[in-house]
Amino acid sequence: TQLLEQSPQFLSIQEGENLTVYCNSSSVFSSLQWYRQEPGEGPVLLVTVVTGGEVKKLKRLTFQFGDARKDSSLHITAAQPGDTGLYLCAGEGGSNYKLTFGKGTLLTVNP
Amino acid sequence: SAVISQKPSRDICQRGTSLTIQCQVDSQVTMMFWYRQQPGQSLTLIATANQGSEATYESGFVIDKFPISRPNLTFSTLTVSNLSPEDSSIYLCSVMTGSEQYFGPGTRLTVT
């Protein structure tokens, strides 16, 4: 069974601060996806990383896939209240394109 | 990407009854998935629904409790049967396009 561990589970910061969320596993994934979910909504795909060592940037968000494709990180620069939400990482590595989800990081950015 | 809608968005059901959730996609897709998200938890895959074949269920989920239909490439239903309070969750459908999955807005089920 593939497991993804996310940390921290909860994060409350002030507007303008930087933060990093980690997603770690002992398993190798063919790709890893990051989602953000707001209350009452489904997860919204932010990015997919596929290549070991890959770095993708989405405005103030920087995503990195580990060289061994077992871990990933999400770094947010100058966080804003609109960044508040549940951040989920999900790895694809099994059959039928099934995703294994981490438990999520609940981020609160206070104005 | 894909635009996915779900009905109902929320419902309150009595113990012992059933609820059928509909998932509609704006394009034809081969693979659709149903997930459960319990309060404060992450997503757990219930089953994979492929058109023209029976759904494939994950460990801990059975067809009698969670029957799924997939009549065409844009639509699927999930029924949660014989409801108990433990079934109170958000149920989400998702689709695979290319190598990425996109999710519907979810159906929030409360069982009383």
Side-chain angles (χ1 to χ4, degrees):
Chain A
T1 303
Q2 296 178 310
L3 296 175
L4 272 172
E5 295 187 3
Q6 267 187 257
S7 63
Q9 187 176 357
F10 300 97
L11 191 54
S12 180
I13 61 172
Q14 294 298 123
E15 182 175 1
E17 293 183 359
N18 301 332
L19 68 113
T20 301
V21 176
Y22 299 94
C23 182
N24 296 299
S25 176
S26 58
S27 303
V28 175
F29 292 98
S30 57
S31 69
L32 196 137
Q33 301 179 13
W34 284 92
Y35 294 83
R36 185 174 75 200
Q37 184 179 24
E38 298 187 27
E41 302 290 331
V44 174
L45 180 65
L46 297 174
V47 78
T48 300
V49 286
V50 178
T51 305
E54 183 177 5
V55 176
K56 282 190 174 179
K57 292 192 175 184
L58 185 64
K59 297 182 180 178
R60 293 176 292 101
L61 279 60
T62 302
F63 304 86
Q64 186 165 3
F65 202 12
D67 291 340
R69 291 186 286 131
K70 293 181 179 181
D71 55 85
S72 182
S73 64
L74 158 61
H75 182 79
I76 301 179
T77 303
Q80 299 176 1
D83 296 326
T84 293
L86 178 67
Y87 288 82
L88 296 157
C89 64
E92 180 198 340
S95 60
N96 293 327
Y97 305 100
K98 292 188 297 185
L99 290 180
T100 299
F101 277 85
K103 291 190 175 182
T105 295
L106 186 59
L107 171 65
T108 303
V109 182
N110 302 299
Chain B
S1 66
V3 178
I4 305 167
S5 60
Q6 285 186 234
K7 291 181 180 180
S9 59
R10 59 177 60 226
D11 207 343
I12 301 173
C13 299
Q14 290 196 341
R15 184 193 304 254
T17 63
S18 299
L19 176 69
T20 296
I21 303 167
Q22 299 179 4
C23 179
Q24 180 76 51
V25 190
D26 68 340
S27 58
Q28 294 186 338
V29 293
T30 302
M31 303 186 75
M32 295 180 75
F33 305 88
W34 285 99
Y35 287 84
R36 182 174 72 183
Q37 187 175 28
Q38 294 179 304
Q41 301 294 317
S42 188
L43 281 71
T44 301
L45 181 63
I46 297 171
T48 303
N50 296 323
Q51 195 268 338
S53 63
E54 286 197 4
T56 303
Y57 290 83
E58 297 302 301
S59 176
F61 297 96
V62 295
I63 188 171
D64 289 346
K65 175 69 174 176
F66 299 98
I68 289 171
S69 76
R70 182 80 199 274
N72 58 54
L73 292 174
T74 64
F75 186 79
S76 178
T77 67
L78 168 73
T79 299
V80 189
S81 304
N82 189 24
L83 290 168
S84 68
E86 293 71 35
D87 296 319
S88 296
S89 287
I90 298 172
Y91 292 86
L92 298 135
C93 69
S94 74
V95 302
M96 174 75 74
T97 61
S99 61
E100 296 176 336
Q101 282 195 30
Y102 296 89
F103 285 81
T107 295
R108 182 180 294 271
L109 169 62
T110 302
V111 182
T112 61

